[in-house]
Amino acid sequence: MRSRILRAILLAVAVTGFALGIPLGYTALRLVEDGARTDLAARAQRIAASIDDQIASGRPIDLGPVEVGVPEGGHLVVTSAGGVREFGRTPGIDALSVEVPIAQQGTVRLEVSSAPMHTAQYQVAALVVLLVVLSVSTGTVVATVTARKLAKPLRHVAARAARLGAGDFRRDDRRHGVPELDLVADALDKSAGALAQLVQRERELVGDVSHQLRSRLTALQLRLEALSLHPEPDTAAEARAALEQAERLAEVLNEMLAAARAARAVGAEPLDLGAELSAIAEEWREPLRRAGRALRVKVPEGLLARATPARLREAIGVLLDNALRHGEGQVVVSARRDDGTVVVEVADSGAGVPDELAHHIFERGVSGGGSTGVGLALARALVDADGGRLELSTARPATFALFLPVPRAEDVVGVTWRTDLTPR
């Protein structure tokens, strides 16, 4: 986009420069020539007037008084009834000449070399070319700066749309002062909010449906197990057959839920948590620093987890924002390997979560600080979508723990890290 804008502006500048430069150059050359001819004609007119005065007084034509009016290197030819009189040498074939009539059908022809005129024309042409070059150069600089300023917000909006598509639903308050782009940014923020609510409702619905189905299936299996002990053989056989179908239904339900999780986690990949968490922390150091607080990251080298980068950034971002708004003191982001899973913890030194909110902190609309109560619910839904879970491990001080799956062996083999780190 930047190169396209730059080419369009440069083309407009070049066309404008040549469209103005060519007529300007032609006009300047004509002005130089007309000026030289006008000056030569004026000199010839003065010489002719002086000779007319001599003829009118009956004196013979004398070129002495008019020689001062002949330019340096010029040639004066006076033709009259008394003959032809000349002053100076002929400038050659490429000469600029003017002929003026005098009394008694005579003429005065004044000739000069055209070389000085051509020299002046070359100088004027060079000046016009210089002006055109300066104009195009200035236009190029302006075009480069303008293209950069226009392309930068376009790239930012495109990156925002890409993050939204990848599952990053955080609001972006950055605006660029371009009405059309700001409208797009507003639309993306509204879409992000709507998608966040949609994702959360989907996760809640799937969780509620799976819980209800599992509960009903468990109750049905218990009833069928009891019925399978019935003394009548036919009744017991039918109960065992129904119990077998119920167990198959439970297996199908588990497979469908696993497939749904796998489909949601299609973007999950092995991540080096040291690099990922450090990059996320860099976004939040400045806001915490302005609040007089520090952010520390403690991650073992080479620790890997399976997650979607955008979802992980969103979930950690929600926890850091929560620590910034409601916590106190230093914020610590740490990670460790524990019993076949990877645990990422975000903790601060604040008063923590009140007891009445601790068991409802992840419910939508629940907040202890006057906020919307959407962030933590969304963060849990995003972590759950990658096959992990988000818990409040300690209420005082508040410590949130993300339990992420360990990458499979087939995922790690042949992976090219974006951070140029090799797995250990």
Side-chain angles (χ1 to χ4, degrees), residues 32-51:
V32 170
E33 182 178 354
D34 291 344
R37 289 186 180 278
T38 301
D39 179 68
L40 190 63
R43 289 175 178 270
Q45 289 286 354
R46 288 194 294 269
I47 293 173
S50 177
I51 294 175

Side-chain angles (χ1 to χ4, degrees), residues 14 20 24 37 41 70 106 173 179 208 235 242 265 301 316 364-365 393 400:
L20 295 178
L24 178 62
R37 289 186 180 278
V70 180
D173 294 326
D208 292 343
T235 302
E301 185 179 358
I316 298 295
R364 180 179 175 83
S393 60
F400 291 90

Side-chain angles (χ1 to χ4, degrees), residues 38-108:
T38 301
D39 179 68
L40 190 63
R43 289 175 178 270
Q45 289 286 354
R46 288 194 294 269
I47 293 173
S50 177
I51 294 175
D52 282 339
D53 290 340
Q54 294 179 13
I55 295 174
S57 62
R59 291 177 295 164
I61 296 176
D62 182 12
L63 298 184
V66 298
E67 290 178 359
V68 294
V70 180
E72 184 179 356
H75 181 220
L76 175 63
V77 179
V78 179
T79 305
S80 64
V84 177
R85 293 176 178 82
E86 297 184 30
F87 173 76
R89 286 186 287 184
T90 303
I93 57 175
D94 188 17
L96 186 64
S97 66
V98 174
E99 189 170 279
V100 178
I102 59 176
Q104 299 179 356
Q105 298 183 350
T107 59
V108 172

Side-chain angles (χ1 to χ4, degrees), residues 156 160 170-176 185-186 189 325:
H156 177 263
R160 175 72 181 94
R170 287 176 293 175
R171 179 180 177 84
D172 191 342
D173 294 326
R174 182 177 177 183
R175 296 296 182 268
H176 306 282
D186 292 339
D189 282 341
R325 292 174 181 269

